[in-house]
PDB file of all heavy atoms in Angstrom:
ATOM      1  N   MET A   1     181.129 132.079 111.295  1.00 98.00           N
ATOM      2  CA  MET A   1     180.019 131.592 112.116  1.00 98.00           C
ATOM      3  C   MET A   1     180.527 130.492 113.031  1.00 98.00           C
ATOM      4  O   MET A   1     181.375 129.676 112.636  1.00 98.00           O
ATOM      5  CB  MET A   1     178.891 131.051 111.231  1.00 98.00           C
ATOM      6  CG  MET A   1     177.687 130.511 111.973  1.00 98.00           C
ATOM      7  SD  MET A   1     176.502 129.743 110.845  1.00 98.00           S
ATOM      8  CE  MET A   1     175.082 129.575 111.923  1.00 98.00           C
ATOM      9  N   ALA A   2     180.022 130.464 114.248  1.00 99.00           N
ATOM     10  CA  ALA A   2     180.356 129.387 115.180  1.00 99.00           C
ATOM     11  C   ALA A   2     179.167 129.143 116.101  1.00 99.00           C
ATOM     12  O   ALA A   2     178.514 130.093 116.547  1.00 99.00           O
ATOM     13  CB  ALA A   2     181.586 129.746 116.011  1.00 99.00           C
ATOM     14  N   PHE A   3     178.905 127.876 116.375  1.00 98.00           N
ATOM     15  CA  PHE A   3     177.837 127.488 117.300  1.00 98.00           C
ATOM     16  C   PHE A   3     178.413 127.313 118.703  1.00 98.00           C
ATOM     17  O   PHE A   3     179.485 126.741 118.874  1.00 98.00           O
ATOM     18  CB  PHE A   3     177.170 126.198 116.835  1.00 98.00           C
ATOM     19  CG  PHE A   3     176.323 126.371 115.611  1.00 98.00           C
ATOM     20  CD1 PHE A   3     176.849 126.162 114.351  1.00 98.00           C
ATOM     21  CD2 PHE A   3     174.993 126.760 115.722  1.00 98.00           C
ATOM     22  CE1 PHE A   3     176.070 126.329 113.218  1.00 98.00           C
ATOM     23  CE2 PHE A   3     174.205 126.929 114.596  1.00 98.00           C
ATOM     24  CZ  PHE A   3     174.746 126.729 113.340  1.00 98.00           C
ATOM     25  N   HIS A   4     177.675 127.808 119.669  1.00 98.00           N
ATOM     26  CA  HIS A   4     178.076 127.643 121.065  1.00 98.00           C
ATOM     27  C   HIS A   4     178.189 126.149 121.386  1.00 98.00           C
ATOM     28  O   HIS A   4     177.401 125.337 120.892  1.00 98.00           O
ATOM     29  CB  HIS A   4     177.038 128.306 121.973  1.00 98.00           C
ATOM     30  CG  HIS A   4     177.477 128.474 123.385  1.00 98.00           C
ATOM     31  ND1 HIS A   4     177.506 127.421 124.285  1.00 98.00           N
ATOM     32  CD2 HIS A   4     177.914 129.564 124.081  1.00 98.00           C
ATOM     33  CE1 HIS A   4     177.935 127.852 125.455  1.00 98.00           C
ATOM     34  NE2 HIS A   4     178.185 129.152 125.365  1.00 98.00           N
ATOM     35  N   PRO A   5     179.158 125.746 122.214  1.00 98.00           N
ATOM     36  CA  PRO A   5     179.270 124.331 122.579  1.00 98.00           C
ATOM     37  C   PRO A   5     177.993 123.767 123.185  1.00 98.00           C
ATOM     38  O   PRO A   5     177.726 122.565 123.066  1.00 98.00           O
ATOM     39  CB  PRO A   5     180.414 124.325 123.596  1.00 98.00           C
ATOM     40  CG  PRO A   5     181.237 125.523 123.241  1.00 98.00           C
ATOM     41  CD  PRO A   5     180.266 126.551 122.756  1.00 98.00           C
ATOM     42  N   ASP A   6     177.191 124.628 123.827  1.00 98.00           N
ATOM     43  CA  ASP A   6     175.924 124.190 124.417  1.00 98.00           C
ATOM     44  C   ASP A   6     174.736 124.631 123.555  1.00 98.00           C
ATOM     45  O   ASP A   6     173.647 124.897 124.077  1.00 98.00           O
ATOM     46  CB  ASP A   6     175.771 124.754 125.832  1.00 98.00           C
ATOM     47  CG  ASP A   6     176.805 124.189 126.782  1.00 98.00           C
ATOM     48  OD1 ASP A   6     177.182 123.013 126.623  1.00 98.00           O
ATOM     49  OD2 ASP A   6     177.245 124.934 127.684  1.00 98.00           O
ATOM     50  N   TYR A   7     174.966 124.687 122.236  1.00 98.00           N
ATOM     51  CA  TYR A   7     173.919 125.165 121.329  1.00 98.00           C
ATOM     52  C   TYR A   7     172.633 124.351 121.465  1.00 98.00           C
ATOM     53  O   TYR A   7     171.528 124.911 121.413  1.00 98.00           O
ATOM     54  CB  TYR A   7     174.426 125.088 119.885  1.00 98.00           C
ATOM     55  CG  TYR A   7     173.389 125.448 118.848  1.00 98.00           C
ATOM     56  CD1 TYR A   7     172.985 126.765 118.671  1.00 98.00           C
ATOM     57  CD2 TYR A   7     172.818 124.465 118.038  1.00 98.00           C
ATOM     58  CE1 TYR A   7     172.038 127.111 117.713  1.00 98.00           C
ATOM     59  CE2 TYR A   7     171.871 124.796 117.081  1.00 98.00           C
ATOM     60  CZ  TYR A   7     171.485 126.119 116.926  1.00 98.00           C
ATOM     61  OH  TYR A   7     170.540 126.440 115.983  1.00 98.00           O
ATOM     62  N   ALA A   8     172.749 123.052 121.666  1.00 98.00           N
ATOM     63  CA  ALA A   8     171.550 122.217 121.791  1.00 98.00           C
ATOM     64  C   ALA A   8     170.681 122.643 122.966  1.00 98.00           C
ATOM     65  O   ALA A   8     169.463 122.422 122.957  1.00 98.00           O
ATOM     66  CB  ALA A   8     171.945 120.746 121.934  1.00 98.00           C
ATOM     67  N   THR A   9     171.302 123.300 123.952  1.00 98.00           N
ATOM     68  CA  THR A   9     170.567 123.755 125.137  1.00 98.00           C
ATOM     69  C   THR A   9     170.195 125.230 125.078  1.00 98.00           C
ATOM     70  O   THR A   9     169.050 125.611 125.326  1.00 98.00           O
ATOM     71  CB  THR A   9     171.389 123.495 126.406  1.00 98.00           C
ATOM     72  OG1 THR A   9     171.670 122.090 126.494  1.00 98.00           O
ATOM     73  CG2 THR A   9     170.636 123.937 127.651  1.00 98.00           C
ATOM     74  N   ASN A  10     171.199 126.074 124.733  1.00 98.00           N
ATOM     75  CA  ASN A  10     170.930 127.522 124.795  1.00 98.00           C
ATOM     76  C   ASN A  10     170.579 128.152 123.453  1.00 98.00           C
ATOM     77  O   ASN A  10     170.087 129.281 123.405  1.00 98.00           O
ATOM     78  CB  ASN A  10     172.110 128.265 125.439  1.00 98.00           C
ATOM     79  CG  ASN A  10     173.408 128.125 124.638  1.00 98.00           C
ATOM     80  OD1 ASN A  10     173.410 127.984 123.427  1.00 98.00           O
ATOM     81  ND2 ASN A  10     174.530 128.179 125.346  1.00 98.00           N
ATOM     82  N   GLY A  11     170.855 127.462 122.335  1.00 98.00           N
ATOM     83  CA  GLY A  11     170.480 127.965 121.016  1.00 98.00           C
ATOM     84  C   GLY A  11     171.311 129.122 120.505  1.00 98.00           C
ATOM     85  O   GLY A  11     170.970 129.745 119.492  1.00 98.00           O
ATOM     86  N   PHE A  12     172.463 129.415 121.126  1.00 98.00           N
ATOM     87  CA  PHE A  12     173.267 130.571 120.733  1.00 98.00           C
ATOM     88  C   PHE A  12     174.244 130.219 119.602  1.00 98.00           C
ATOM     89  O   PHE A  12     174.873 129.156 119.611  1.00 98.00           O
ATOM     90  CB  PHE A  12     174.067 131.114 121.918  1.00 98.00           C
ATOM     91  CG  PHE A  12     173.234 131.755 122.987  1.00 98.00           C
ATOM     92  CD1 PHE A  12     173.652 131.717 124.318  1.00 98.00           C
ATOM     93  CD2 PHE A  12     172.048 132.397 122.686  1.00 98.00           C
ATOM     94  CE1 PHE A  12     172.902 132.312 125.317  1.00 98.00           C
ATOM     95  CE2 PHE A  12     171.283 132.996 123.683  1.00 98.00           C
ATOM     96  CZ  PHE A  12     171.705 132.949 124.988  1.00 98.00           C
ATOM     97  N   PHE A  13     174.389 131.140 118.661  1.00 98.00           N
ATOM     98  CA  PHE A  13     175.452 131.044 117.669  1.00 98.00           C
ATOM     99  C   PHE A  13     176.000 132.447 117.438  1.00 98.00           C
ATOM    100  O   PHE A  13     175.380 133.461 117.788  1.00 98.00           O
ATOM    101  CB  PHE A  13     174.975 130.395 116.373  1.00 98.00           C
ATOM    102  CG  PHE A  13     173.935 131.176 115.608  1.00 98.00           C
ATOM    103  CD1 PHE A  13     174.287 132.030 114.575  1.00 98.00           C
ATOM    104  CD2 PHE A  13     172.583 131.043 115.919  1.00 98.00           C
ATOM    105  CE1 PHE A  13     173.321 132.749 113.871  1.00 98.00           C
ATOM    106  CE2 PHE A  13     171.612 131.747 115.221  1.00 98.00           C
ATOM    107  CZ  PHE A  13     171.981 132.606 114.184  1.00 98.00           C
ATOM    108  N   TYR A  14     177.189 132.515 116.843  1.00 99.00           N
ATOM    109  CA  TYR A  14     177.935 133.767 116.736  1.00 99.00           C
ATOM    110  C   TYR A  14     178.366 133.987 115.292  1.00 99.00           C
ATOM    111  O   TYR A  14     178.699 133.025 114.576  1.00 99.00           O
ATOM    112  CB  TYR A  14     179.149 133.728 117.678  1.00 99.00           C
ATOM    113  CG  TYR A  14     178.726 133.533 119.116  1.00 99.00           C
ATOM    114  CD1 TYR A  14     178.366 132.263 119.588  1.00 99.00           C
ATOM    115  CD2 TYR A  14     178.622 134.607 119.980  1.00 99.00           C
ATOM    116  CE1 TYR A  14     177.932 132.083 120.892  1.00 99.00           C
ATOM    117  CE2 TYR A  14     178.193 134.432 121.298  1.00 99.00           C
ATOM    118  CZ  TYR A  14     177.842 133.170 121.735  1.00 99.00           C
ATOM    119  OH  TYR A  14     177.400 132.992 123.026  1.00 99.00           O
ATOM    120  N   VAL A  15     178.339 135.237 114.869  1.00 99.00           N
ATOM    121  CA  VAL A  15     178.735 135.568 113.503  1.00 99.00           C
ATOM    122  C   VAL A  15     179.755 136.697 113.534  1.00 99.00           C
ATOM    123  O   VAL A  15     179.839 137.473 114.493  1.00 99.00           O
ATOM    124  CB  VAL A  15     177.524 135.975 112.635  1.00 99.00           C
ATOM    125  CG1 VAL A  15     176.554 134.814 112.491  1.00 99.00           C
ATOM    126  CG2 VAL A  15     176.826 137.214 113.186  1.00 99.00           C
ATOM    127  N   TYR A  16     180.519 136.768 112.464  1.00 99.00           N
ATOM    128  CA  TYR A  16     181.534 137.804 112.273  1.00 99.00           C
ATOM    129  C   TYR A  16     181.242 138.456 110.933  1.00 99.00           C
ATOM    130  O   TYR A  16     181.150 137.775 109.917  1.00 99.00           O
ATOM    131  CB  TYR A  16     182.910 137.142 112.268  1.00 99.00           C
ATOM    132  CG  TYR A  16     184.111 138.058 112.144  1.00 99.00           C
ATOM    133  CD1 TYR A  16     185.050 138.142 113.161  1.00 99.00           C
ATOM    134  CD2 TYR A  16     184.344 138.810 110.988  1.00 99.00           C
ATOM    135  CE1 TYR A  16     186.178 138.947 113.049  1.00 99.00           C
ATOM    136  CE2 TYR A  16     185.453 139.623 110.868  1.00 99.00           C
ATOM    137  CZ  TYR A  16     186.371 139.690 111.898  1.00 99.00           C
ATOM    138  OH  TYR A  16     187.478 140.486 111.780  1.00 99.00           O
ATOM    139  N   TYR A  17     181.092 139.784 110.929  1.00 98.00           N
ATOM    140  CA  TYR A  17     180.781 140.462 109.672  1.00 98.00           C
ATOM    141  C   TYR A  17     181.404 141.851 109.640  1.00 98.00           C
ATOM    142  O   TYR A  17     181.774 142.426 110.675  1.00 98.00           O
ATOM    143  CB  TYR A  17     179.273 140.543 109.450  1.00 98.00           C
ATOM    144  CG  TYR A  17     178.481 141.356 110.453  1.00 98.00           C
ATOM    145  CD1 TYR A  17     178.270 142.727 110.280  1.00 98.00           C
ATOM    146  CD2 TYR A  17     177.928 140.742 111.583  1.00 98.00           C
ATOM    147  CE1 TYR A  17     177.533 143.459 111.196  1.00 98.00           C
ATOM    148  CE2 TYR A  17     177.183 141.475 112.503  1.00 98.00           C
ATOM    149  CZ  TYR A  17     176.993 142.838 112.311  1.00 98.00           C
ATOM    150  OH  TYR A  17     176.271 143.563 113.226  1.00 98.00           O
ATOM    151  N   THR A  18     181.518 142.394 108.428  1.00 98.00           N
ATOM    152  CA  THR A  18     181.930 143.775 108.216  1.00 98.00           C
ATOM    153  C   THR A  18     180.682 144.633 108.169  1.00 98.00           C
ATOM    154  O   THR A  18     179.802 144.401 107.331  1.00 98.00           O
ATOM    155  CB  THR A  18     182.706 143.924 106.900  1.00 98.00           C
ATOM    156  OG1 THR A  18     183.758 142.969 106.854  1.00 98.00           O
ATOM    157  CG2 THR A  18     183.279 145.317 106.767  1.00 98.00           C
ATOM    158  N   ASN A  19     180.583 145.609 109.052  1.00 98.00           N
ATOM    159  CA  ASN A  19     179.370 146.431 109.069  1.00 98.00           C
ATOM    160  C   ASN A  19     179.422 147.512 108.000  1.00 98.00           C
ATOM    161  O   ASN A  19     180.408 147.643 107.253  1.00 98.00           O
ATOM    162  CB  ASN A  19     179.107 147.010 110.472  1.00 98.00           C
ATOM    163  CG  ASN A  19     180.153 148.029 110.912  1.00 98.00           C
ATOM    164  OD1 ASN A  19     180.933 148.554 110.115  1.00 98.00           O
ATOM    165  ND2 ASN A  19     180.175 148.319 112.200  1.00 98.00           N
ATOM    166  N   THR A  20     178.383 148.307 107.914  1.00 98.00           N
ATOM    167  CA  THR A  20     178.285 149.298 106.840  1.00 98.00           C
ATOM    168  C   THR A  20     179.287 150.438 106.998  1.00 98.00           C
ATOM    169  O   THR A  20     179.475 151.223 106.068  1.00 98.00           O
ATOM    170  CB  THR A  20     176.851 149.861 106.771  1.00 98.00           C
ATOM    171  OG1 THR A  20     176.463 150.340 108.066  1.00 98.00           O
ATOM    172  CG2 THR A  20     175.871 148.780 106.311  1.00 98.00           C
ATOM    173  N   ASN A  21     179.938 150.540 108.159  1.00 98.00           N
ATOM    174  CA  ASN A  21     181.019 151.507 108.350  1.00 98.00           C
ATOM    175  C   ASN A  21     182.380 150.927 107.971  1.00 98.00           C
ATOM    176  O   ASN A  21     183.395 151.616 108.052  1.00 98.00           O
ATOM    177  CB  ASN A  21     181.067 151.976 109.806  1.00 98.00           C
ATOM    178  CG  ASN A  21     179.861 152.805 110.193  1.00 98.00           C
ATOM    179  OD1 ASN A  21     179.334 153.574 109.381  1.00 98.00           O
ATOM    180  ND2 ASN A  21     179.407 152.652 111.430  1.00 98.00           N
ATOM    181  N   GLY A  22     182.392 149.641 107.614  1.00 98.00           N
ATOM    182  CA  GLY A  22     183.645 148.985 107.255  1.00 98.00           C
ATOM    183  C   GLY A  22     184.383 148.376 108.419  1.00 98.00           C
ATOM    184  O   GLY A  22     185.511 147.891 108.254  1.00 98.00           O
ATOM    185  N   ASP A  23     183.787 148.398 109.614  1.00 98.00           N
ATOM    186  CA  ASP A  23     184.433 147.806 110.780  1.00 98.00           C
ATOM    187  C   ASP A  23     183.953 146.370 110.991  1.00 98.00           C
ATOM    188  O   ASP A  23     182.929 145.959 110.450  1.00 98.00           O
ATOM    189  CB  ASP A  23     184.146 148.648 112.024  1.00 98.00           C
ATOM    190  CG  ASP A  23     184.720 150.056 111.913  1.00 98.00           C
ATOM    191  OD1 ASP A  23     185.798 150.202 111.308  1.00 98.00           O
ATOM    192  OD2 ASP A  23     184.082 151.012 112.417  1.00 98.00           O
ATOM    193  N   ASN A  24     184.682 145.613 111.788  1.00 98.00           N
ATOM    194  CA  ASN A  24     184.382 144.199 112.001  1.00 98.00           C
ATOM    195  C   ASN A  24     183.610 144.003 113.291  1.00 98.00           C
ATOM    196  O   ASN A  24     183.947 144.579 114.334  1.00 98.00           O
ATOM    197  CB  ASN A  24     185.659 143.366 112.027  1.00 98.00           C
ATOM    198  CG  ASN A  24     186.394 143.397 110.697  1.00 98.00           C
ATOM    199  OD1 ASN A  24     187.610 143.520 110.664  1.00 98.00           O
ATOM    200  ND2 ASN A  24     185.679 143.295 109.593  1.00 98.00           N
ATOM    201  N   VAL A  25     182.584 143.171 113.224  1.00 98.00           N
ATOM    202  CA  VAL A  25     181.654 142.966 114.324  1.00 98.00           C
ATOM    203  C   VAL A  25     181.548 141.482 114.646  1.00 98.00           C
ATOM    204  O   VAL A  25     181.453 140.645 113.748  1.00 98.00           O
ATOM    205  CB  VAL A  25     180.257 143.521 113.969  1.00 98.00           C
ATOM    206  CG1 VAL A  25     179.241 143.183 115.058  1.00 98.00           C
ATOM    207  CG2 VAL A  25     180.317 145.032 113.740  1.00 98.00           C
ATOM    208  N   VAL A  26     181.559 141.152 115.920  1.00 98.00           N
ATOM    209  CA  VAL A  26     181.194 139.814 116.397  1.00 98.00           C
ATOM    210  C   VAL A  26     179.880 139.963 117.156  1.00 98.00           C
ATOM    211  O   VAL A  26     179.780 140.788 118.070  1.00 98.00           O
ATOM    212  CB  VAL A  26     182.276 139.225 117.314  1.00 98.00           C
ATOM    213  CG1 VAL A  26     181.823 137.867 117.868  1.00 98.00           C
ATOM    214  CG2 VAL A  26     183.600 139.075 116.570  1.00 98.00           C
TER     215      VAL A  26
END
């Protein structure tokens, strides 16, 4: 997980996970 540098303004954050097919997603 990572918060956007401008999170206080834009509210965006990012996650990295393994999906149900076993592949990696951002």
Side-chain angles (χ1 to χ4, degrees):
M1 180 186 193
F3 289 93
H4 193 283
D6 294 326
Y7 175 73
T9 301
N10 62 30
F12 291 149
F13 65 95
Y14 301 79
V15 297
Y16 183 117
Y17 64 89
T18 308
N19 67 16
T20 53
N21 292 325
D23 297 325
N24 296 137
V25 174
V26 176

